[in-house]
Amino acid sequence: MKTHNTLQDPDRFYDELNDAHLDLDGAQSAALNARLVLILANQIGDAALLSECVQLAARCAAEPVSAPAAEPAGGASSQPIPEPALR
């Protein structure tokens, strides 16, 4: 499982994802997220990899979300995705 940023333009993706949620109520936003997860899971297709991703997301779910550090000019950070503290 990749734990470092591999997006070519993470800010653009974030903006696009955020824009997709504009004017949606909570239920519609949750439905969009659920559909997106299923579409992306289908693109990945590897059950073991998907299981690892679900486990990481579940461990991170209770962790506070903080603003990302500034990215270096001209490219995405190669910093790993933070692993939550083990409980």
Side-chain angles (χ1 to χ4, degrees), residues 2-87:
K2 298 174 188 172
T3 58
H4 60 281
N5 181 14
T6 61
L7 293 173
Q8 294 174 346
D9 189 349
D11 291 333
R12 180 173 179 241
F13 173 74
Y14 179 82
D15 290 341
E16 187 174 349
L17 181 58
N18 191 55
D19 289 348
H21 287 269
L22 292 177
D23 301 321
L24 299 181
D25 64 25
Q28 292 168 322
S29 183
L32 184 152
N33 284 336
R35 287 185 188 102
L36 180 58
V37 165
L38 293 174
I39 291 166
L40 293 174
N42 189 58
Q43 292 300 307
I44 293 168
D46 181 319
L49 178 57
L50 289 168
S51 180
E52 286 182 58
C53 293
V54 168
Q55 290 172 30
L56 176 59
R59 287 195 310 268
C60 294
E63 298 293 322
V65 176
S66 60
E71 299 292 338
S77 170
S78 62
Q79 296 297 316
I81 296 169
E83 181 75 26
L86 295 176
R87 296 185 233 282

